[in-house]
Amino acid sequence: MSDAKSPILLEKEPLVDALIGEWQTIGFLLDELTPEQWSTPSPLPGWSVQDVVAHLIGTESMLAGIDPPVEEGDVPDSPHVHNPIGAFNERWIHGLRDRGPERIRDHFLEITTQRADVLRTMTQADFDAPAMTPVGPDSYGRFMRTRLFDCWFHEHDIRDAIGVPGDEGGVRGEYAFAELVWGVPFAVGKKGRAPQGTSVTFALSGPLARDVHVAVEGRAALVDELPGPATTTVAMDSRLFTRLCGGRVSPVDRMDEVTISGHEELGIQIVTNLAFTI
């Protein structure tokens, strides 16, 4: 595993292709939405499907140097806003809320086309350059992987809201999962309070099937393999795993889809505290 203090350098072309492909996939999905589906509540508190798209527009607009349509003081307080990033997101969501679905869809296509043109003209050196990202100082390429992760996650927020499943594997899913998995040790060690000397294996099935190992030796960390059986093994479908990590579903309501072996109490403690994304 890479040193967490070293920038993550990612090959530009496949990542840019995947990110643009994700925008195109979302665009195709938006083309099929009915007016009622645009107003359907999403898995995110306080946001409709249209609000999710407005959020995506807002982040890409920020990267293009475009200011939100309303000032911070013009946004009403919302109980689902807990941090400055959330407050910034609301400036776009509130500012675009009175626009109809067709205008929102066209706005999304316009800004993502603009961003795709910028990304295509960047060099590998540009991608490797230092940048401030949502996960701290890293490379610009790492920032774009977090963008793919965010867009991929929100694609499936929309799909979950309207009951239209999509492909969660493939190249885009792999990039998204590579970003997601960096937060799993925090969920295990900090939120799940796994004791020193313990280890956890997440045995995932489904479109992103794999084993994810976390060892708690000092600070919880991802490891390629464990020296022996994990203290607790948590088995579930990767689709449920991503939703639990994203706080999209209640773990209590979905425990019948989780199989825990080894230290059962620790497994339950971790599953019920798995949400860690912003």
Side-chain angles (χ1 to χ4, degrees):
M1 187 179 69
S2 300
D3 183 346
K5 295 181 180 180
S6 300
I8 296 177
L9 303 181
L10 298 161
E11 191 177 350
K12 179 210 161 195
E13 296 301 333
L15 177 50
V16 167
D17 288 346
L19 179 53
I20 293 173
E22 180 59 38
W23 290 333
Q24 292 170 339
T25 298
I26 294 173
F28 295 144
L29 177 61
L30 300 184
D31 285 341
E32 300 299 320
L33 296 183
T34 66
E36 294 75 21
Q37 288 173 326
W38 277 92
S39 61
T40 301
S42 81
L44 296 159
W47 284 12
S48 67
V49 166
Q50 177 167 318
D51 293 336
V52 172
V53 182
H55 161 60
L56 294 175
I57 290 170
T59 305
E60 297 308 326
S61 297
M62 177 197 70
L63 290 170
I66 301 170
D67 292 330
V70 297
E71 297 298 326
E72 184 175 356
D74 295 331
V75 180
D77 292 336
S78 301
H80 59 272
V81 176
H82 305 295
N83 53 53
I85 293 176
F88 176 81
N89 291 339
E90 290 299 309
R91 292 173 64 188
W92 280 99
I93 291 164
H94 182 71
L96 298 181
R97 195 164 270 159
D98 63 347
R99 298 190 181 183
E102 185 173 345
R103 290 183 66 192
I104 292 292
R105 182 198 62 206
D106 290 347
H107 196 163
F108 174 80
L109 296 177
E110 177 184 347
I111 190 59
T112 54
T113 297
Q114 180 180 340
R115 287 285 299 142
D117 290 342
V118 170
L119 291 174
R120 287 190 178 106
T121 61
M122 293 181 75
T123 66
Q124 184 64 51
D126 295 330
F127 234 56
D128 294 343
M132 181 55 67
T133 82
V135 292
D138 212 295
S139 68
Y140 190 83
R142 173 73 186 279
F143 196 171
M144 292 306 97
R145 193 175 76 177
T146 68
R147 289 307 308 131
L148 178 49
F149 160 75
D150 191 53
C151 293
W152 180 91
F153 230 105
H154 288 314
E155 175 202 340
H156 296 291
D157 285 333
I158 295 170
R159 292 186 180 280
D160 289 351
I162 65 174
V164 179
D167 181 14
E168 298 193 25
V171 174
R172 300 194 310 277
E174 290 294 336
Y175 273 121
F177 194 88
E179 192 61 46
L180 176 73
V181 78
W182 276 83
V184 173
F186 169 78
V188 169
K190 185 73 171 180
K191 296 196 68 200
R193 303 183 305 281
Q196 286 294 311
T198 60
S199 58
V200 179
T201 293
F202 294 95
L204 305 181
S205 56
L208 293 168
R210 71 205 60 213
D211 288 344
V212 177
H213 306 291
V214 178
V216 186
E217 298 290 346
R219 190 173 185 177
L222 294 171
V223 293
D224 293 333
E225 59 183 26
L226 297 171
T231 307
T232 185
T233 297
V234 180
M236 70 179 84
D237 190 287
S238 65
R239 287 163 285 213
L240 176 58
F241 181 75
T242 59
R243 271 75 169 171
L244 288 171
C245 289
R248 266 55 172 186
V249 297
S250 166
V252 175
D253 294 341
R254 304 292 290 271
M255 285 301 295
D256 61 339
E257 300 173 48
V258 179
T259 300
I260 298 172
S261 55
H263 196 305
E264 184 174 8
E265 183 179 350
L266 176 59
I268 293 172
Q269 182 172 297
I270 289 168
V271 171
T272 53
N273 289 281
L274 199 50
F276 63 85
T277 64
I278 293 176

